[in-house]
Amino acid sequence: MNAPLPVEVLKQHLIDPEICIRCNTCEETCPVDAITHDSNNYVVDPEICNGCMACVPPCPTGSIDNWRLVVRAEAYSVQDQFGWEELPQEKSLPLDAAGADDAAQQVAADPQAEPATPPATLVTPGAAVPPWSAAHPYVNLYTHKTPITATVVGNYRVTGADTESDIHHIVLDFGEQPFPVLEGQSIGILPPGVDAMGRPHHARQYSLASPRDGERAGYNNLSLTVKRVTQDHGGEAAHGVCSNYLCDLAKNDTVQVIGPFGHTFLMPNHPKANLIMICTGTGSAPMRAMTERSRRLIGTADIGKLMLFFGARTERELPYFGPLMKLPRDFIDINLALSREPGQPKRYVQDLIRERAAQVRGLLTDRNTCIYVCGLKGMEVGVLDALREVVVQSGEDWSILHEALRREGRLHFETY
Ligand code: NAP
């Protein structure tokens, strides 16, 4: 009598719905379109995922790095995963499961280990590692199940009152509770109430606009830059649940916070490190944090050059315009790209990068330089094109430099 065929085991890739902040990074990164989402969860299609790991390093929370051994024929479907509120328990496998031992070893392999670096051709244009000298970030100290309560100690508008862009600077204080952060990290805000399906709202992610030692140096507080969302990407009227909640907060209100998140978009920590910062609108939040960190180090550390490219519709819609313009010119080289300033030609950040080619090239070829790009998704291609042109003009090979920038954690993108 023939022996029954052994059952095939799959090391199934899953996303932890309790930690995921629905930032869409994994879906954008996946080179084979195995990741999708509905209004509840981000999920991985077991029929498509090839375990390439490209999505793992960019995930700011680590929720992406979950695996279960399952009998292949019983893999959790996309529909199963859409309905989850938490990951299922491990199931025991049949004794005759083929490859179970090998797969188990892979799943058990040091869960705290750094995520594997995916093949270069599969990843986004930015680095999957932080700059070598970045300080150690803490992540996921507070989760959906264990959020921390912060108190609003400031909330004011940082754009002209007569403009469409209602952008707020919001300061949250954590009192005696530990909440260690670094510039470039983000937090999640849990808006109160429930969605159309009656489920609690998911967390929304915001970058810190303040440096590691607080919005006010020495205080256990941080700031966010939040634009009130009144339209969707297509220009149709839409009410942003979390942005409106945040912009309407009053002093002494409390907010549920999770995080911190992010382990790569971090600033270098060594002397003479240069920063090229390229942003649009509220994407200026991490640039403000890094600039303020550097400013506070003046006189105590050997800081390098800071070059900022900042895009906004008009001067009055550019958050923090007043304080920014007061910074000394020998501390930061500021380049404003205004796209709708009456009487002026439309300019984008990439136009200014081209105009300042000699200075940008000089910094790019210095191994102490790190580049940060944050803001609208659409700027990514334009900025990369401009950087490439700047390098190619001087007879250098962009692909070699680009690869080095990524490998050395010197080129970072955070775009939405
Ligand atoms: P916005 O006002 O819509 O746009 C800012 C500027 O970027 C405008 O001058 C705009 O020009 C220009 N722009 C449009 N397309 C561009 C392109 N392809 N290349 C270069 N510049 C372009 O910006 P916003 O509403 O503040 O949005 C900023 C983005 O940052 C949002 O997507 C937000 O999610 C993201 N973000 C926010 C945070 C945070 O913590 N708050 C953190 C990270 C990222 P036009 O005149 O052509 O529109």
Side-chain angles (χ1 to χ4, degrees):
M1 199 175 87
N2 288 336
L5 286 173
V7 275
E8 195 189 341
V9 170
L10 170 71
K11 181 185 165 194
Q12 185 169 3
H13 187 190
L14 300 171
I15 299 174
D16 187 340
E18 288 186 279
I19 304 178
C20 172
I21 49 172
R22 283 82 180 162
C23 64
N24 205 49
T25 308
C26 54
E27 190 169 325
E28 273 173 28
T29 311
C30 179
V32 292
D33 293 332
I35 299 181
T36 181
H37 70 276
D38 70 355
S39 60
N40 196 32
N41 285 337
Y42 275 73
V43 303
V44 185
D45 189 334
E47 301 292 326
I48 306 176
C49 176
N50 59 12
C52 76
M53 304 293 278
C55 57
V56 174
C59 170
T61 64
S63 57
I64 192 81
D65 202 7
N66 282 281
W67 309 85
R68 290 282 187 277
L69 290 185
V70 294
V71 173
R72 185 178 281 278
E74 295 169 8
Y76 299 107
S77 70
V78 161
Q79 288 309 323
D80 291 337
Q81 297 172 56
F82 280 150
W84 288 348
E85 299 300 326
E86 57 187 39
L87 286 177
Q89 296 291 321
E90 299 274 2
K91 286 192 219 167
S92 52
L93 292 167
L95 290 174
D96 58 349
D101 289 347
D102 289 351
Q105 272 176 15
Q106 287 174 38
V107 170
D110 184 4
Q112 296 302 319
E114 287 294 309
T117 305
T121 48
L122 296 178
V123 290
T124 53
V129 291
W132 68 268
S133 61
H136 174 76
Y138 289 90
V139 293
N140 288 329
L141 296 179
Y142 301 91
T143 65
H144 286 81
K145 275 193 178 157
T146 59
I148 181 173
T149 303
T151 304
V152 179
V153 292
N155 183 357
Y156 58 89
R157 184 170 169 144
V158 285
T159 44
D162 55 339
T163 65
E164 243 183 57
S165 303
D166 184 5
I167 301 181
H168 283 236
H169 179 71
I170 298 166
V171 186
L172 302 178
D173 192 277
F174 293 93
E176 299 296 312
Q177 311 161 95
F179 200 81
V181 291
L182 291 174
E183 307 78 17
Q185 283 196 292
S186 55
I187 62 169
I189 300 287
L190 292 169
V194 291
D195 64 18
M197 309 285 285
R199 293 175 299 219
H201 289 298
H202 292 305
R204 307 302 202 275
Q205 189 188 2
Y206 296 91
S207 299
L208 303 187
S210 51
R212 63 190 76 180
D213 58 340
E215 167 65 17
R216 185 167 171 195
Y219 281 67
N220 190 18
N221 60 17
L222 56 78
S223 62
L224 307 175
T225 312
V226 181
K227 181 172 180 178
R228 188 188 291 278
V229 173
T230 54
Q231 287 182 346
D232 64 16
H233 283 293
E236 297 295 316
H239 181 82
V241 170
C242 199
S243 67
N244 280 278
Y245 162 65
L246 286 171
C247 289
D248 289 337
L249 285 170
K251 219 168 159 180
N252 296 324
D253 281 349
T254 57
V255 182
Q256 297 300 295
V257 176
I258 62 172
F261 306 121
H263 52 273
T264 56
F265 195 109
L266 301 175
M267 66 188 292
N269 233 1
H270 65 278
K272 292 200 187 311
N274 308 308
L275 308 179
I276 299 181
M277 300 175 280
I278 305 164
C279 61
T280 52
T282 51
S284 57
M287 314 314 179
R288 180 181 184 272
M290 292 185 189
T291 302
E292 185 57 13
R293 166 74 181 164
S294 304
R295 197 188 65 79
R296 289 182 192 174
L297 288 175
I298 294 176
T300 64
D302 201 359
I303 54 169
K305 296 197 170 85
L306 275 68
M307 193 171 196
L308 173 70
F309 294 92
F310 192 161
R313 296 173 186 183
T314 63
E315 240 173 58
R316 296 176 57 68
E317 286 170 276
L318 190 137
Y320 310 111
F321 178 73
L324 181 63
M325 299 321 281
K326 289 199 188 113
L327 293 173
R329 288 308 136 99
D330 58 356
F331 162 63
I332 182 168
D333 180 348
I334 300 172
N335 300 270
L336 301 183
L338 303 175
S339 58
R340 305 189 200 180
E341 190 69 51
Q344 287 186 22
K346 187 178 181 85
R347 324 262 302 288
Y348 277 174
V349 283
Q350 49 269 42
D351 301 322
L352 297 191
I353 292 172
R354 287 190 181 88
E355 282 176 26
R356 302 294 311 281
Q359 292 78 6
V360 172
R361 192 182 312 122
L363 286 177
L364 271 180
T365 48
D366 179 344
R367 285 190 72 184
N368 287 315
T369 302
C370 292
I371 304 145
Y372 301 88
V373 184
C374 187
L376 296 168
K377 184 85 196 149
M379 76 194 281
E380 223 175 84
V381 173
V383 166
L384 273 172
D385 282 349
L387 293 176
R388 190 186 57 240
E389 274 176 43
V390 161
V391 170
V392 169
Q393 270 168 17
S394 66
E396 289 195 52
D397 188 327
W398 165 248
S399 57
I400 293 175
L401 178 60
H402 187 193
E403 190 39 44
L405 290 171
R406 285 173 44 196
R407 196 178 52 246
E408 295 168 10
R410 293 171 45 212
L411 176 61
H412 294 276
F413 288 85
E414 190 151 299
T415 55
Y416 299 97

